């Protein structure tokens, strides 16, 4: 007898659930997308224990009659496509008819729904995929879906859920994305019986962004003038030059209303800022691409996070044009006003780097140059001894950025920020090996506005942040601490008591944003193993170096050089940016030759 069998329906749904439903955040995504497809004007998301205990999504959309309510729990039951041709013109968020049966097969599930025109609604209860109760219900028109004890019957998957805080942060991040994609819908979010946010419906994306992230976030953004080319349109907001972040959490790219992460959408942004923003940084942006639904294939990923574009080239050119024109207008404008100063994230093209004369000839210029640097090789490199140092004469400072020394072989430039980064990195790494970084208590604690998702992330990683010297506590919506005033806005507050000592001259907001941003880029669950400590030390070092003052006078300048040369790997920052460079007499002569 053959061994191929048709899977029973429940089992098939549980298998499909593995693809569609990874964690509470993905359940929320599917449910809220269904509400959006149902034409909801107001959506409420409640969750408990990071969503593992309960997720409840309530909408005021079109609702379903009893037979549709039962049908939607069948696999491949969807009201959104009828024939294969429809696939090429999808305008709804869902279309596979997989989500509800999948979710219902791995939870204690309740669907309560009523169409406006019906006298009574329907309540259906499903446990682990089995319908065991169908009755009348008297809810308001719309649909409410409750997902309890996610994965209660699939222990292997339940084990994969992360801590409550992390799941909650992911979940909030997901709601934030949906709320940004649909400012026209009012969203309310309730976490463990406390309201995290209540966002009023608005036609203005800027209002929605401000309600979520606070006024200071919106000030960092510039609106794109809409660009259109060959049927592809883009509009949205992009950060001002200098506001680069090392992770892409704040880069949201939407295609026809659906959040899509794709290099085709994000690379042009990075490309547009080559030469303006240092390597490894990305501009925060909220971009909406609109195109003929037939030009995108959404049916390549079960959770629809990836798509295939018919013409990636057009998308690239539209994105590039939009970003460049936005920045072009800012820099021209600001330069004209004389207030354009490169922020800490803004590194004008690095000056050409020449290898210092004391390096042996075996190290080629190419090897020295930033991009080729590999720290293992640098560790071979000889360090000039202190006697060599006294032969250097100090010439002064240049452009608020370089120390100039004259040496036998010409002019030696030390880039102050890079040098500090290297010095602090090695110091911090040693400190982290044996404890935490120093922290500086603020005279008056500072209270910052933050989005609920950021606050939840901070709560989930407070131990790590304290190691870095940041002592902060969230309160108000989204936070763990006592409940703040409702106020009708989404953002909550973070009370900062102490900051990393070496960074204390920077604005507190900047410290928090950059630190969180850097740590986030370490991945989902950063830990303090060796790699984690190196990354943390590098992050705080970069931060602290950005806030450091110029060395005052010759003695301080020499100290800095000495500190640098006492490092294990003095020639580059942890990320491989050179700390020193030299202009040889030969090169100077060339410049003054006709
Ligand atoms: P899909 O969204 O891919 O069609 P789902 O399993 O997510 O598949 O949903 C199945 C069907 O159930 C939908 O096509 C829709 O007709 C109906 N449905 C689901 N959620 C809602 C809702 N909140 N309001 C109205 N109808 C809904
Ligand atoms: Mg759906």
């Amino acid at each position: 007898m053959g061994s191929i069998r048709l899977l029973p329906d429940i089992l098939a749904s549980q298998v499909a659930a593995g693809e569609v439903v990874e964690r509470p955040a993905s359940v929320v995504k599917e449910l809220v997308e269904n509400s959006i497809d149902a034409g909801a004007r107001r959506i409420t998301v409640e969750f408990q224990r990071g969503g593992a205990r309960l997720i409840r999504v309530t909408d005021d959309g079109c609702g379903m009659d009893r037979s549709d309510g039962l049908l939607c729990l069948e696999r491949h039951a969807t009201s959104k496509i009828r024939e294969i041709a429809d696939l090429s013109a999808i305008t709804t968020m869902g279309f596979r008819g997989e989500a509800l049966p999948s979710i219902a097969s791995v939870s204690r599930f309740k669907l309560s729904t009523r169409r406006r025109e019906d006298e009574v609604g329907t309540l259906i209860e499903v446990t682990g995929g089995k319908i065991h109760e169908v009755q009348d219900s008297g809810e308001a028109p719309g649909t409410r879906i409750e997902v309890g004890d996610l994965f209660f019957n699939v222990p292997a998957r339940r084990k994969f859920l992360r801590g409550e805080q992390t799941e909650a942060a992911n979940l909030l991040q997901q709601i934030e994305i949906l709320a940004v994609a649909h400012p026209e819908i009012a969203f309310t979010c309730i976490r463990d019986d406390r309201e995290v946010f209540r966002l009023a419906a608005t036609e203005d994306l800027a209002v929605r962004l401000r309600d979520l992230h606070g006024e200071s976030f919106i000030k960092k953004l510039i609106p794109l003038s809409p660009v259109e080319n060959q049927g592809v349109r883009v509009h949205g907001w992009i950060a001002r030059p200098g506001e680069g972040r090392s992770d892409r959490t704040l880069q949201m790219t939407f295609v026809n209303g659906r959040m899509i992460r794709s290099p085709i959408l994000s690379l042009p942004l990075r490309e547009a800022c080559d030469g303006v923003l240092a390597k490894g940084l990305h501009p925060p942006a909220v971009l909406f691409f609109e195109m003929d639904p037939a030009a995108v294939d959404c049916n390549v990923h079960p959770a629809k996070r990836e798509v295939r574009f018919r013409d990636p080239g057009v998308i690239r050119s539209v994105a590039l044009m939009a970003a460049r024109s936005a920045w072009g207008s800012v820099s021209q404008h600001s330069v004209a006003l004389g207030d354009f100063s490169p922020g800490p994230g803004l590194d004008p093209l690095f000056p050409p780097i020449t290898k210092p004369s004391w390096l042996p000839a075996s190290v080629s210029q190419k090897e020295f140059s930033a991009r080729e640097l590999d720290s293992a090789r640098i560790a071979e490199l000889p360090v000039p001894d202190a006697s060599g140092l006294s032969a250097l004469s100090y010439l002064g400072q240049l452009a608020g950025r370089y120390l100039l020394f004259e040496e036998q072989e010409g002019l030696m430039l030390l880039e102050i920020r890079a040098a500090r980064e290297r010095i602090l990195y090695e110091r911090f790494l040693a400190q982290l090996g044996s404890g935490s970084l120093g922290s500086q208590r603020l005279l008056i604690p500072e209270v910052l506005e933050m989005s609920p998702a950021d606050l939840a992330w901070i709560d989930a990683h407070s131990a790590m942040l304290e190691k870095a010297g940041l002592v902060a506590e969230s309160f108000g919506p989204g936070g763990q601490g006592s409940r703040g005033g409702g106020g009708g806005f989404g953002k909550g507050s973070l009370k900062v008591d102490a900051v990393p000592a070496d960074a204390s001259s920077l604005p507190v907001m900047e410290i928090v944003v950059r630190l969180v941003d850097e740590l986030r880029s370490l991945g989902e669950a950063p830990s303090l193993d060796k790699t984690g400590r190196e990354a943390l030390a590098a992050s705080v070092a970069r931060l602290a170096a950005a806030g450091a003052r110029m060395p005052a006078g010759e003695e301080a300048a020499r100290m800095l050089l000495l500190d640098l040369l006492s490092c294990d790997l003095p020639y580059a920052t942890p990320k491989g940016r050179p700390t020193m460079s030299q202009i040889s007499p030969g090169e100077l002569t060339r410049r003054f030759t006709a």
Side-chain angles (χ1 to χ4, degrees):
M1 197 174 117
S3 53
I4 298 182
R5 284 194 185 79
L6 283 173
L7 289 179
D9 244 18
I10 293 186
L11 192 54
S13 294
Q14 288 174 347
V15 172
E19 294 181 326
V20 186
V21 187
E22 289 163 338
R23 56 193 341 161
S26 31
V27 171
V28 166
K29 172 173 186 288
E30 295 295 337
L31 297 184
V32 172
E33 286 186 351
N34 280 347
S35 299
I36 294 169
D37 285 344
R41 310 310 303 165
R42 165 169 292 285
I43 299 175
T44 302
V45 182
E46 295 162 81
F47 66 98
Q48 288 174 8
R49 300 265 185 89
R53 171 80 193 81
L54 178 77
I55 295 167
R56 185 189 290 132
V57 175
T58 309
D59 68 50
D60 61 354
C62 63
M64 287 176 270
D65 64 14
R66 181 156 304 181
S67 67
D68 277 355
L70 285 163
L71 196 59
C72 76
L73 296 168
E74 304 272 339
R75 279 175 58 68
H76 305 302
T78 176
S79 55
K80 299 168 195 174
I81 55 171
R82 284 176 198 282
E83 46 186 301
I84 194 72
D86 294 344
L87 260 187
S88 60
I90 287 167
T91 52
T92 51
M93 308 293 279
F95 56 84
R96 295 165 73 111
E98 247 172 7
L100 291 187
S102 300
I103 296 167
S105 74
V106 293
S107 66
R108 302 183 207 280
F109 184 96
K110 272 190 209 166
L111 162 68
S112 158
T113 186
R114 174 152 87 89
R115 297 188 306 174
R116 204 159 297 272
E117 59 267 39
D118 293 340
E119 289 274 293
V120 286
T122 303
L123 170 69
I124 303 174
E125 289 188 31
V126 188
T127 302
K130 287 205 193 75
I131 297 184
H132 59 80
E133 184 81 67
V134 182
Q135 60 186 67
D136 288 353
S137 87
E139 300 278 345
T143 301
R144 161 177 296 178
I145 290 180
E146 260 183 48
V147 177
D149 296 331
L150 185 63
F151 298 135
F152 79 97
N153 55 348
V154 202
R157 296 199 65 86
R158 194 163 174 102
K159 269 212 303 262
F160 273 103
L161 293 184
R162 296 187 183 279
E164 187 179 325
Q165 298 283 359
T166 305
E167 294 298 350
N170 280 319
L171 203 154
L172 286 165
Q173 176 76 25
Q174 181 64 61
I175 306 178
E176 225 169 74
I177 289 169
L178 292 158
V180 168
H182 294 277
E184 78 285 0
I185 298 176
F187 279 90
T188 302
C189 177
I190 297 171
R191 172 184 182 181
D192 296 317
D193 299 322
R194 293 186 316 163
E195 192 173 285
V196 178
F197 57 68
R198 179 181 291 270
L199 305 168
T202 167
E203 288 309 310
D204 187 351
L205 175 64
V207 171
R208 176 59 49 99
L209 290 174
R210 190 198 61 205
D211 288 354
L212 274 168
H213 291 280
E215 192 71 38
S216 56
F217 178 73
I218 198 82
K219 285 213 182 96
K220 293 180 178 165
L221 300 177
I222 353 172
L224 296 182
S225 24
V227 172
E228 177 159 5
N229 186 16
Q230 298 177 47
V232 178
R233 251 171 57 86
V234 65
H235 68 278
W237 296 72
I238 192 162
R240 297 173 175 280
E243 295 292 346
R245 299 286 202 91
S246 52
D247 86 338
R248 288 198 200 142
T249 327
L250 282 176
Q251 228 175 50
M252 297 188 191
T253 41
F254 298 87
V255 175
N256 293 344
R258 196 191 295 286
M259 163 90 168
I260 300 290
R261 283 191 193 283
S262 159
I264 294 172
L265 306 173
S266 59
L267 282 182
L269 290 185
R270 184 48 251 192
E271 202 180 322
C273 51
D274 273 349
V276 187
L277 208 58
K279 287 257 158 221
L281 295 183
H282 307 275
V286 184
L287 299 189
F288 292 87
F289 293 86
E290 317 285 348
M291 59 195 80
D292 177 357
V296 236
D297 181 359
C298 307
N299 194 20
V300 284
H301 186 283
K304 310 180 205 82
R305 276 191 302 257
E306 290 164 21
V307 291
R308 204 173 287 134
F309 296 107
R310 198 173 56 195
D311 195 346
V314 176
I315 294 173
R316 177 175 166 274
S317 77
V318 167
L320 260 178
M321 244 188 308
R324 285 193 176 140
S325 73
W327 286 331
S329 62
V330 167
S331 46
Q332 277 161 21
H333 177 67
S334 308
V335 168
L337 292 174
D339 67 349
F340 184 66
S341 72
L346 177 72
D347 279 299
L349 273 180
F350 298 131
I353 305 299
T354 317
K355 125 188 136 144
S357 62
W358 59 74
L359 291 182
S362 60
V363 183
S364 67
Q365 166 65 38
K366 181 158 174 264
E367 273 170 316
F368 183 75
S369 70
R371 255 145 258 169
E372 319 290 329
L373 269 187
D374 138 9
S375 41
R377 278 205 67 114
I378 311 178
E380 291 154 14
L381 301 182
V383 171
D385 57 23
S387 63
L389 280 189
S390 52
L392 295 177
S393 58
Y394 175 65
L395 299 178
Q397 306 184 351
L398 180 70
R401 185 169 172 187
Y402 308 99
L403 296 181
L404 308 183
F405 294 91
E406 182 185 353
E407 54 152 4
Q408 265 179 354
E409 301 294 328
L411 183 64
M412 208 271 281
L413 292 99
L414 178 150
E415 210 263 337
I416 296 167
R417 186 137 63 89
R420 281 239 169 73
E421 225 176 290
R422 164 51 66 182
I423 296 164
L424 291 171
Y425 169 72
E426 296 199 1
R427 191 197 298 162
F428 291 164
L429 200 56
Q431 285 174 3
L432 278 179
S434 59
S436 330
L437 305 187
S439 85
Q440 162 91 55
R441 206 145 261 289
L442 301 175
L443 277 178
I444 305 162
E446 194 157 326
V447 175
L448 308 174
E449 277 177 353
M450 295 248 146
S451 80
D454 284 345
L455 281 181
W457 192 95
I458 289 173
D459 283 332
H461 297 87
S462 59
M464 183 153 194
L465 290 166
E466 278 186 28
K467 278 238 159 201
L470 183 81
V471 182
E473 186 192 6
S474 65
F475 66 95
Q480 286 293 291
S482 62
R483 179 88 173 73
F489 282 126
K491 53 206 182 287
S493 309
L494 185 75
K495 178 159 101 24
V496 183
D497 292 307
V499 296
D502 289 275
S504 57
S505 64
L506 287 174
V508 175
M509 184 66 171
E510 176 136 1
I511 298 178
V512 174
V513 167
R514 283 178 170 258
L515 202 57
V516 167
D517 176 49
E518 298 255 3
L519 294 183
R520 254 193 193 159
S521 68
L522 303 183
E524 225 166 60
S527 80
L528 281 181
D529 56 3
K530 182 164 176 293
T531 327
R533 287 198 304 271
E534 283 171 2
L536 185 62
S539 302
V540 188
R542 190 156 44 246
L543 187 70
R549 257 191 296 238
M550 293 294 288
E554 170 162 1
E555 200 177 332
R558 282 185 179 279
M559 272 308 259
L560 187 66
L561 180 63
L562 189 64
D563 281 349
L564 178 64
L565 293 175
S566 321
C567 286
D568 288 337
L569 303 173
Y571 300 111
T573 65
K575 282 232 169 141
R577 209 151 73 70
T579 52
M580 291 178 269
S581 173
Q582 190 209 32
I583 302 176
S584 66
E587 183 168 344
L588 287 172
T589 310
R590 263 195 307 283
R591 292 191 185 198
F592 291 98
T593 312

